[in-house]
Amino acid sequence: MMIAYKPEELERIDETVKRNDIRFIRLQFSDIIGSAKQITIPVDYWDDAVSHGVWFDGSAVEGFARVAESDMYLKPDLDTFTVIPWEMDLSTARVICDVHTPDGAPFEGDPRQVLKRQLARAANLGLDYYVGPELEFFLFKVHPNGELLPLRPHDEAGYFDISTDLAHSVRRQMVDALTAMGINVEASHHEVAAGQSEIDFRYGPALTTADSAITFRTTVKAVAQKNGLHCTFMPKPVAGINGSGMHIHQSLWQRGGSDTAMYDADSEYGLSETALRFIAGQLVHAKGIAPILAPLVNSYKRLVPGYEAPVYISWGRTNRSALIRIPRVSTGRHKSTRCELRCPDPSCNPYLAFAVMLAAGLDGIENKMTPPLPAEEDLYHMDNLRAGLETLPGDLGDALDELKQDEVIQDALGQHVYERFIEAKQQEWQDYQRYVTQWELDRYLKVY
């Protein structure tokens, strides 16, 4: 088995290795839950890795394979090769890999492969899929001995604050590290809740952006740790305040071209028929994709009324309470026409999230779906009796039940990922149902 790369690609990597005196290379991939996994090799074995791949035991990775079918190998994607800026003392680089089976075929359980399949489906329709995520996170104080203090936010600042924003310097370090890793950061600021921040990076092709999202989480956590802080992408770490979301801006482009497939000057909302059908598909499958986009028990503590998270399955222009928002576009900038999905949170696997979002939208296009009338009123304060508006699942158990009924999303994930994901998340939900929480003790112990 020989892996073929272009000579100029190999030469570029060799120059980077020599220029930075690289001693170790991390080969990174993702399990189905979205956790970054890696195998580190000395640089002396790099030539062998790019020629033959690196073998590993797939049975040891969440959702990958059983013991009897465990042999797999990693194929580096040289476009993702980059030096790790916070490990310069060890001169380490990182490259993201695709997972392959012993016969050389892409492994169907590789989340990166799941996204690639949907991107190929879009390409067959003459479309490219671009996304731009906005990742929110909390910074908590850590005891000098390394233990996490009882949820003490790093600061008491609020939205866009400056004077009380102690995380300002930390975010600048994060932006510098992300930039060094090849991520084009567009903005960073303090978010609504105390200790909460947001960093946004430039939109791009979905596969590249998914790679960047995984890199983002590992980079931000590493920088926080160097500053004696704990960074968490847990959706709702503190009750009574806003949770962390990962709003995702989406746009479709003419395949290989330079023009958007989202815009129509004659449409009331400036949206093309393709865009409207795409939105309709995502609304139809909103419940089925929920456990992929909001995959934790804790995710559904965020998706409740009153904390700027969407609850109703709706869409609207500039309406931040809607599930899908259509941002306004400046005159002469029609190429920035896009739709923003607001229910995902930063704990999700970005490869699977982008894959099911695209699959839902493409189903709308292929079946010529029509979205319902837009909802322009503030939905945060609506009651549950509002006619015509359904809600997202109320907990992870309900969300998994919805996925079990959505064959379109199951097909998008593929049988392997679908079955392993359901198995892992069903266990998580059952563990939670059996657990006695502090709330129950506080509420019932003395009364009953």
Side-chain angles (χ1 to χ4, degrees):
M1 176 191 64
M2 292 289 293
I3 301 174
Y5 293 100
K6 296 179 181 178
E8 55 268 26
E9 289 182 314
L10 297 173
E11 291 175 5
R12 175 177 59 82
I13 301 302
D14 287 343
E15 291 175 2
T16 301
V17 168
K18 292 176 182 177
R19 183 171 62 251
N20 294 278
D21 191 26
I22 297 299
R23 296 170 54 197
F24 299 96
I25 298 174
R26 291 182 176 180
L27 288 80
Q28 181 180 304
F29 59 104
S30 166
D31 66 13
I32 65 167
I33 303 303
S35 298
K37 303 295 181 180
Q38 65 184 25
I39 296 173
T40 302
I41 61 172
V43 70
D44 292 343
Y45 287 87
W46 173 244
D47 288 343
D48 188 65
V50 296
S51 297
H52 303 286
V54 174
W55 292 88
F56 72 101
D57 178 8
S59 66
V61 180
E62 178 77 63
F64 263 35
R66 299 179 178 87
V67 174
E69 51 191 20
S70 60
D71 287 338
M72 297 179 184
Y73 71 90
L74 300 174
K75 177 183 176 183
D77 181 343
L78 300 189
D79 288 338
T80 68
F81 190 97
T82 185
V83 178
I84 301 177
W86 61 88
E87 294 192 5
M88 290 306 295
D89 55 331
L90 297 175
S91 302
T92 305
R94 181 230 62 191
V95 63
I96 295 174
C97 300
D98 291 306
V99 183
H100 287 251
T101 57
D103 61 2
F107 173 47
E108 64 175 2
D110 179 7
R112 210 167 185 253
Q113 180 61 29
V114 173
L115 178 54
K116 284 185 174 183
R117 289 199 301 266
Q118 293 307 307
L119 293 173
R121 179 181 164 198
N124 289 334
L125 295 175
L127 299 169
D128 288 326
Y129 183 50
Y130 279 60
V131 293
E134 301 172 348
L135 285 91
E136 298 170 344
F137 54 91
F138 278 88
L139 295 174
F140 291 113
K141 296 179 181 179
V142 178
H143 192 278
N145 65 10
E147 293 183 3
L148 187 62
L149 294 171
L151 291 184
R152 289 177 54 186
H154 179 235
D155 57 53
E156 296 299 328
Y159 199 48
F160 289 154
D161 280 355
I162 297 177
S163 59
T164 55
D165 181 8
L166 301 180
H168 178 64
S169 62
V170 179
R171 283 199 307 273
R172 283 191 299 180
Q173 295 175 47
M174 292 172 174
V175 169
D176 286 343
L178 291 168
T179 301
M181 293 290 287
I183 297 176
N184 187 353
V185 175
E186 291 192 324
S188 67
H189 60 84
H190 201 284
E191 257 297 335
V192 174
Q196 187 181 35
S197 292
E198 175 178 313
I199 297 178
D200 306 332
F201 53 92
R202 184 173 176 78
Y203 78 94
L207 183 63
T208 302
T209 306
D211 290 338
S212 295
I214 293 288
T215 300
F216 180 102
R217 293 193 304 214
T218 56
T219 301
V220 169
K221 279 181 170 290
V223 173
Q225 186 175 20
K226 281 187 172 291
N227 283 272
L229 298 170
H230 176 73
C231 168
T232 181
F233 293 97
M234 181 179 176
K236 189 82 167 184
V238 182
I241 63 176
N242 285 26
S244 291
M246 187 177 77
H247 305 154
I248 303 174
H249 295 259
Q250 312 169 84
S251 59
L252 296 170
W253 291 74
Q254 301 295 347
R255 176 70 177 160
S258 59
D259 204 3
T260 178
M262 301 285 287
Y263 180 71
D264 182 352
D266 297 325
S267 170
E268 179 183 358
Y269 279 68
L271 294 173
S272 67
E273 188 176 70
T274 296
L276 290 170
R277 290 173 175 172
F278 184 82
I279 291 169
Q282 290 196 335
L283 293 175
V284 166
H285 294 287
K287 294 181 181 181
I289 64 179
I292 306 297
L293 307 183
L296 307 183
V297 167
N298 181 255
S299 297
Y300 298 85
K301 304 294 178 70
R302 166 183 170 258
L303 296 174
V304 295
Y307 297 98
E308 299 189 15
V311 176
Y312 292 99
I313 300 174
S314 60
W315 71 289
R317 181 166 52 193
T318 71
N319 185 352
R320 296 180 185 274
S321 62
L323 179 64
I324 297 178
R325 183 178 78 97
I326 312 301
R328 291 190 182 275
V329 176
S330 303
T331 303
R333 299 191 61 187
H334 73 276
K335 290 184 179 181
S336 61
T337 302
R338 63 196 185 279
C339 60
E340 176 192 17
L341 187 63
R342 296 177 61 81
C343 64
D345 69 54
S347 70
C348 72
N349 183 330
Y351 298 110
L352 299 186
F354 299 162
V356 298
M357 289 163 57
L358 178 56
L362 293 180
D363 189 51
I365 293 173
E366 291 170 340
N367 289 290
K368 300 180 180 179
M369 296 180 186
T370 301
L373 292 175
E376 295 301 357
E377 64 269 43
D378 181 0
L379 302 178
Y380 288 140
H381 301 101
M382 297 296 297
D383 60 43
N384 290 333
L385 298 178
R386 176 180 166 82
L389 284 185
E390 295 185 89
T391 60
L392 292 172
D395 56 46
L396 181 60
D398 288 344
L400 292 172
D401 288 341
E402 293 292 345
L403 175 55
K404 292 174 185 176
Q405 299 175 43
D406 195 324
E407 294 182 359
V408 169
I409 304 306
Q410 293 175 29
D411 289 343
L413 293 171
Q415 183 177 2
H416 181 103
V417 170
Y418 166 68
E419 291 179 353
R420 301 302 195 281
F421 184 88
I422 288 289
E423 181 181 339
K425 289 300 170 178
Q426 200 74 55
Q427 183 63 54
E428 180 179 338
W429 177 242
Q430 291 170 356
D431 289 346
Y432 172 70
Q433 287 181 304
R434 298 188 188 105
Y435 183 72
V436 178
T437 65
Q438 188 62 45
W439 183 92
E440 293 169 279
L441 294 174
D442 293 341
R443 184 90 174 206
Y444 305 126
L445 189 61
K446 292 182 179 180
V447 176
Y448 296 95

